[in-house]
Amino acid sequence: MQTILRHRRQKLAEIIDFPAILWSGSSSPRNFSANTFPHRANSHFLYFAGIPLENAAIRLESGKLQLFIDDPHPSSALWHGETPTREEIAAKIGADEAKTMAELGSYLENVATLPVQDATTWTQQTQLLNRWVLPKNPLEGIDLELAKAIVSLRLTHDAAALVELRKAAAVSITAHKAGMAATGKAKLEAEVRAAMEAVIIGQNMTNAYTSIVTVHGEVLHNNHYYHSLQLGDLLLADVGAETQTGWAADITRTWPVSGKFSSTQRDIYDIVLAAHDACIQNIAPGVEYAEIHLLAATIIAEGLVDLGILQGKPEDLVKMDLHALFFPHGIGHLLGLDVHDMEDLGDIAGYDEGRNRSSRFGLSYLRLNRPLRAGMLVTIEPGFYQVPAILNDPKIRDQYQYLVNWERLEKFADVRGIRIEDDVLVTASGSEVLTASLPSQATAIEDLVSC
């Protein structure tokens, strides 16, 4: 581990000529100080330090690393057991020097940093650096330079990162299979969620994000699990594992609670799958990710025309954002130490230099807009959703009254939401789907649910 960490630090030193300090962050109390939410170390800190420390900072300059962390309080052993000392931690990560947090104040001259998400830490950053360091503030000066430098490193994954990403993918695949197998006997969404997360916990991993396990797939980030499972329902599960060192997977599958898609569900599912497969087949270095998104949009529009739901030429419908009535989000995002990798930096990572978000309904939620490069890991996740807030909007009904066959659409009322998502590594010659061993074909999904 020390070798790869030193290599990352050296690569950063080749890009910037000023020191940088990265904080790990601290845990936040739930309702009183001793009852905290689980701590998750800042991803930029993890990339260079390698292990999830709490209340720590690292100073990077010229390829060298200084660790700042306090030794545990003498009473800590009573509640938490014996924990490594500062010197032991420094040796583990290959730090060149180890100091207390109190000594950090002597090393802040002309230093860049990136804001940590928890309020305690960014308040500390602001006070020590005597400038506003807030997650929602636009980055400026050397902080912006640091962000761009780290993005350039983290956009593609080294061998050590890929080992962790493959571990996360493998556990996530097992979790999804467990969820499918549990569906037949489950009465609530929560039971399927429990089966899936038990696999992740059993491998000593955590969830990379709050699980989505719902029969209301039209709610894109549905975090409720109290709905009952009915035989005619589709269950959408968006669940991914995160390794102990923070590397994430992100998988979505949609399956019929009964074990068999209805004819209308199968029709829509196959459209989404066609978009999914075509996008993955077109992943390669140099390909614009926005073009992959538009490919998915066109295939979905074409499928809906074939079903009689939309009327017109698919390419024209996409230009008018008709597809976004049913596929409103982007085709995917970067994946790495964060499930939406580096989105704490806004669009700096997702959007290539000089590019800005579109105001178009069909493009405004695109999270990644840059040419693909070998070593990048992206998600491909087309979907179809009947969102009441969109489809029941009188203005939308009036605007698209001649392009949407609303009566025909009613025949597909048993399709609330479908999404199919895989994690795709861009390789020198094309792509590799890290999550390929989890089937996506409808008949294979039915077999897994019914077994």
Side-chain angles (χ1 to χ4, degrees):
M1 181 176 74
Q2 289 189 17
T3 300
I4 193 66
L5 292 175
R6 287 197 179 97
H7 179 71
R8 290 173 183 172
R9 298 165 196 162
Q10 188 58 47
K11 293 287 285 184
L12 181 66
E14 294 170 4
I15 304 173
I16 61 173
D17 60 359
F18 48 82
I21 293 181
L22 300 172
W23 274 260
S24 67
S26 61
S27 57
S28 300
R30 293 180 62 193
N31 47 14
F32 61 94
S33 60
N35 183 19
T36 60
F37 290 104
H39 176 251
R40 205 290 192 171
N42 175 266
S43 294
H44 306 299
F45 175 94
L46 277 174
Y47 187 75
F48 296 103
I51 56 176
L53 302 175
E54 186 173 357
N55 297 321
I58 53 174
R59 185 177 184 274
L60 303 164
E61 185 175 19
S62 302
K64 299 195 178 294
L65 181 145
Q66 291 173 294
L67 171 68
F68 296 86
I69 191 171
D70 293 331
D71 277 323
H73 190 276
S75 66
S76 175
L78 171 63
W79 303 103
H80 307 295
E82 296 293 336
T83 53
T85 65
R86 176 171 51 252
E87 295 299 332
E88 290 170 337
I89 294 170
K92 185 174 182 179
I93 67 174
D96 298 283
E97 196 173 17
K99 296 182 176 293
T100 66
M101 285 298 288
E103 295 175 279
L104 181 60
S106 300
Y107 295 88
L108 301 178
E109 186 175 357
N110 298 321
V111 69
T113 195
L114 298 176
V116 177
Q117 296 297 307
D118 71 272
T120 298
T121 303
W122 55 250
T123 299
Q124 181 186 65
Q125 292 176 292
T126 293
Q127 292 172 342
L128 284 173
L129 297 173
N130 196 31
R131 66 175 189 272
W132 287 110
V133 182
L134 299 172
K136 292 186 178 181
N137 273 24
L139 295 172
E140 299 177 340
I142 58 174
D143 292 348
L144 179 58
E145 290 185 52
L146 174 62
K148 290 180 177 179
I150 290 178
V151 165
S152 71
L153 298 180
R154 288 183 56 190
L155 270 177
T156 57
H157 298 299
D158 54 39
L162 288 173
V163 168
E164 292 294 298
L165 290 163
R166 292 181 192 278
K167 288 179 184 177
V171 171
S172 302
I173 289 166
T174 304
H176 275 261
K177 290 180 178 178
M180 293 178 195
T183 302
K185 295 182 180 178
K187 292 182 173 60
L188 298 175
E189 299 159 326
E191 296 174 67
V192 180
R193 175 199 178 196
M196 299 179 78
E197 294 188 1
V199 172
I200 296 172
I201 295 169
Q203 293 298 317
N204 199 25
M205 293 188 185
T206 58
N207 282 50
Y209 50 93
T210 304
S211 296
I212 301 168
V213 183
T214 181
V215 294
H216 285 280
E218 77 279 9
V219 182
L220 297 185
H221 287 172
N222 196 336
N223 299 142
H224 300 292
Y225 316 99
Y226 56 77
H227 301 104
S228 61
L229 305 184
Q230 305 296 327
L231 290 181
D233 287 338
L234 291 176
L235 185 66
L236 187 154
D238 189 337
V239 178
E242 179 178 283
T243 69
Q244 295 175 47
T245 50
W247 298 90
D250 188 2
I251 304 176
T252 307
R253 290 293 186 271
T254 308
W255 61 84
V257 170
S258 67
K260 187 74 174 176
F261 289 100
S262 72
S263 60
T264 46
Q265 291 169 346
R266 178 63 183 267
D267 284 343
I268 299 294
Y269 187 91
D270 284 345
I271 291 172
V272 176
L273 182 62
H276 166 275
D277 291 352
C279 287
I280 291 175
Q281 289 169 7
N282 281 273
I283 294 287
V287 173
E288 288 283 351
Y289 193 74
E291 291 302 316
I292 297 295
H293 172 76
L294 290 172
L295 173 63
T298 303
I299 291 173
I300 290 171
E302 183 177 21
L304 296 179
V305 168
D306 290 343
L307 289 180
I309 294 172
L310 294 182
Q311 301 177 74
K313 294 181 179 180
E315 295 80 5
D316 294 338
L317 296 176
V318 170
K319 290 178 182 177
M320 292 185 285
D321 294 326
L322 256 294
H323 69 282
L325 296 180
F326 306 99
F327 174 41
H329 60 74
I331 189 61
H333 49 80
L334 292 167
L335 182 63
L337 274 170
D338 301 314
V339 68
H340 286 186
D341 211 22
M342 298 181 281
E343 286 192 16
D344 63 308
L345 302 176
D347 283 339
I348 295 173
Y351 277 63
D352 208 3
E353 194 79 29
R355 300 185 184 184
N356 297 299
R357 288 205 179 222
S358 171
S359 60
R360 281 179 52 184
F361 179 38
L363 293 174
S364 61
Y365 292 110
L366 188 63
R367 296 181 180 275
L368 180 58
N369 187 354
R370 59 168 66 240
L372 297 173
R373 292 162 48 189
M376 291 174 68
L377 183 62
V378 300
T379 65
I380 293 296
E381 48 181 304
F384 173 93
Y385 316 90
Q386 296 205 55
V387 182
I390 295 175
L391 300 182
N392 295 335
D393 185 330
K395 292 182 179 179
I396 289 177
R397 288 263 179 168
D398 182 64
Q399 182 180 357
Y400 299 123
Q401 59 178 315
Y402 301 115
L403 297 172
V404 180
N405 187 332
W406 299 103
E407 184 176 346
R408 174 64 175 160
L409 181 62
E410 290 176 3
K411 304 293 185 183
F412 296 84
D414 64 344
V415 186
R416 293 169 177 157
I418 292 174
R419 183 164 63 253
I420 307 170
E421 177 183 19
D422 279 297
D423 303 344
V424 185
L425 176 67
V426 185
T427 65
S429 58
S431 68
E432 176 192 354
V433 182
L434 300 192
T435 48
S437 63
L438 182 63
S440 55
Q441 295 290 331
T443 52
I445 293 290
E446 290 174 337
D447 290 342
L448 286 172
V449 177
S450 300
C451 67

